[in-house]
Amino acid sequence: MDRGAEFRRWKAQCLSKADLSRKGSVDEDVAELVQLLNGQEQFFTTSSCAGRILLLDGNINGFEVQKQNCCWLLVTHKPCVKDDVIVALKKANGDAILKFEPLILHVQCRELQDAQILHSVAIDSGFRNSGITVGKRGKTMLAVRSTHGLEVPLSHKGKLMVTEEYIDFLLETANQKMEENKKRIERFYNCLQHALERERITDLHPKKKIIKKNTSYSHKKKRNREKACGKCVTEDNDKELENDDDPGINVTIFPEDY
């Protein structure tokens, strides 16, 4: 079976499966983006979460939380209010942690070149922790991730360790991050549309070019963003991304057994 046919088979199998997530459906804030990606012959999504605020109760090892061993006291994909957190904290028996998790999106790509285009869109939309993995069977996966998460312990052995005023402050911060995350998703969607349109134009008017294959590549911080995703990144957005505390991105493609 040729690579194109195998990719189409993988896509059909994945999109026909039942959604086994806790929610059982695609999150509203990322639904249009998922639909746009799945509507392209070179992409399909394997998992997604638009971003969420959650309160977990369980054992903590440093700041690493094993969610499968935790009790989910609260989870929301919308802005959160203090009263909801206070009520949920009363159910905590262990170490409760308040978290904000930004968008996470996994996309399988037909070719490495397709993944590189999508990776550039993700980076320039603010998802600067994104990366590509190529498996032994030829599966090319892009993980779209960001760095603006939040993770703060609130209680220990069921005892609240912070004041309600501090919880209020944390929620204000988490809600701001949620709003920024939503803006980045919208930016991703717009940049992707521009990139796809540019690819269609290129396909209609192909130029001879030499593609050098390599197993790793880097995106430099000083790059032409308009070239990467059209003119969808405004001057303000460009300045905002440059002020991100992420020191840049280095993507390595390595074999992994799928």
Side-chain angles (χ1 to χ4, degrees), residues 48-103:
S48 65
C49 177
R52 59 192 177 185
I53 296 172
L54 62 160
L55 186 66
L56 301 175
D57 183 28
N59 294 324
I60 181 170
N61 179 16
F63 281 124
E64 293 297 323
V65 175
Q66 298 298 323
K67 294 178 188 175
Q68 62 268 29
N69 298 324
C70 289
C71 175
W72 294 53
L73 301 175
L74 174 71
V75 58
T76 177
H77 298 274
K78 302 295 182 182
C80 191
V81 296
K82 183 180 68 175
D83 289 346
D84 291 340
V85 174
I86 296 299
V87 171
L89 277 170
K90 293 179 180 179
K91 305 174 186 176
N93 296 313
D95 298 345
I97 295 181
L98 179 71
K99 299 185 69 178
F100 166 70
E101 297 178 340
L103 170 77

Side-chain angles (χ1 to χ4, degrees), residues 9-257:
R9 180 177 61 83
W10 286 336
K11 181 172 183 176
Q13 288 178 346
C14 181
L15 297 184
S16 64
K17 291 180 180 178
D19 190 328
L20 299 179
S21 64
R22 284 175 175 264
K23 185 180 178 182
S25 62
V26 177
D27 297 334
E28 180 182 350
D29 287 340
V30 80
E32 282 190 306
L33 177 58
V34 168
Q35 185 178 13
L36 177 60
L37 285 165
N38 289 333
Q40 311 304 313
E41 62 181 15
Q42 68 270 42
F43 303 122
F44 67 91
T45 59
T46 61
S47 65
S48 65
C49 177
R52 59 192 177 185
I53 296 172
L54 62 160
L55 186 66
L56 301 175
D57 183 28
N59 294 324
I60 181 170
N61 179 16
F63 281 124
E64 293 297 323
V65 175
Q66 298 298 323
K67 294 178 188 175
Q68 62 268 29
N69 298 324
C70 289
C71 175
W72 294 53
L73 301 175
L74 174 71
V75 58
T76 177
H77 298 274
K78 302 295 182 182
C80 191
V81 296
K82 183 180 68 175
D83 289 346
D84 291 340
V85 174
I86 296 299
V87 171
L89 277 170
K90 293 179 180 179
K91 305 174 186 176
N93 296 313
D95 298 345
I97 295 181
L98 179 71
K99 299 185 69 178
F100 166 70
E101 297 178 340
L103 170 77
I104 179 72
L105 178 66
H106 292 98
V107 184
Q108 188 166 333
C109 307
R110 183 178 54 192
E111 302 286 349
L112 177 58
Q113 182 178 355
D114 299 320
Q116 289 173 333
I117 292 171
L118 193 57
H119 180 265
S120 292
V121 171
I123 295 297
D124 287 287
S125 301
F127 298 100
R128 304 183 68 181
N129 196 33
S130 300
I132 299 170
T133 301
V134 178
K136 290 180 180 179
R137 294 179 58 194
K139 289 185 178 180
T140 303
M141 298 291 299
L142 172 71
V144 180
R145 299 175 298 231
S146 185
T147 59
H148 69 297
L150 178 70
E151 187 169 334
V152 183
L154 300 182
S155 71
H156 179 59
K157 295 182 179 179
K159 180 183 177 181
L160 187 62
M161 305 300 291
V162 299
T163 64
E164 290 192 15
E165 182 181 6
Y166 186 61
I167 293 175
D168 208 20
F169 166 73
L170 288 177
L171 288 177
E172 182 180 354
T173 302
N175 289 335
Q176 288 174 351
K177 288 178 177 290
M178 179 76 81
E179 184 61 30
E180 170 58 25
N181 181 68
K182 187 175 180 179
K183 290 179 181 178
R184 293 186 186 192
I185 292 173
E186 293 172 352
R187 196 180 303 152
F188 192 134
Y189 182 86
N190 292 331
C191 286
L192 178 58
Q193 284 186 313
H194 281 273
L196 292 173
E197 180 61 27
R198 191 170 61 252
E199 284 301 301
R200 280 192 286 269
I201 294 174
T202 301
D203 290 342
L204 290 174
H205 306 283
K207 295 180 180 179
K208 291 183 179 180
K209 57 182 179 180
I210 299 175
I211 300 176
K212 184 179 179 181
K213 294 185 178 180
N214 201 344
T215 57
S216 65
Y217 71 100
S218 297
H219 281 267
K220 296 181 179 179
K221 200 164 186 179
K222 298 294 184 179
R223 63 191 176 282
N224 187 335
R225 284 197 173 83
E226 289 192 359
K227 184 177 180 181
C229 61
K231 296 185 179 180
C232 58
V233 179
T234 65
E235 184 176 345
D236 289 340
N237 288 339
D238 190 66
K239 183 178 179 181
E240 177 184 325
L241 293 179
E242 286 296 333
N243 289 334
D244 196 305
D245 59 2
D246 190 326
I249 197 77
N250 185 33
V251 177
T252 302
I253 302 166
F254 56 92
E256 180 177 304
D257 194 4

